[in-house]
Amino acid sequence: MKKDAHPKAVPTKIIYQGKVVMETLSTRPEIHVDVWSGAHPFWTGEERFVDTEGRVDKFNKRFGDSYRNRNKK
């Protein structure tokens, strides 16, 4: 094997909003993230469901059969 073929792994701090949320190994000493599992709505159970009822009706009201007929040509 070749010597020094791989970059050096150093202890790394994962930082979210100024707080260290995790420590791991990487080639960089600090990684700043915008989203992580501890703050993402899907993982925290605070997920908001979008009310999609009426979207098809709204689309049909706006475009009607013109959209469907235009794509069949």
Side-chain angles (χ1 to χ4, degrees), residues 56-67:
V56 173
D57 294 333
K58 184 178 178 182
F59 180 86
N60 286 335
K61 182 179 175 184
R62 186 172 178 188
F63 296 105
D65 288 331
S66 65
Y67 179 79

Side-chain angles (χ1 to χ4, degrees), residues 3-15:
K3 289 186 176 185
D4 301 325
H6 297 286
K8 301 289 183 203
V10 296
T12 302
K13 294 179 181 178
I14 309 297
I15 300 173

Side-chain angles (χ1 to χ4, degrees), residues 3-71:
K3 289 186 176 185
D4 301 325
H6 297 286
K8 301 289 183 203
V10 296
T12 302
K13 294 179 181 178
I14 309 297
I15 300 173
Y16 172 73
Q17 292 185 348
K19 297 178 185 175
V20 176
V21 294
M22 182 179 183
E23 291 187 15
T24 186
L25 293 175
S26 179
T27 57
R28 296 171 33 187
E30 287 186 353
I31 299 174
H32 295 268
V33 295
D34 294 330
V35 176
W36 72 289
S37 63
H40 194 277
F42 180 80
W43 301 108
T44 60
E46 298 174 4
E47 185 176 8
R48 296 182 186 118
F49 293 99
V50 177
D51 181 22
T52 59
E53 187 176 335
R55 292 179 119 195
V56 173
D57 294 333
K58 184 178 178 182
F59 180 86
N60 286 335
K61 182 179 175 184
R62 186 172 178 188
F63 296 105
D65 288 331
S66 65
Y67 179 79
R68 193 175 301 125
N69 293 337
R70 179 178 55 195
N71 289 335

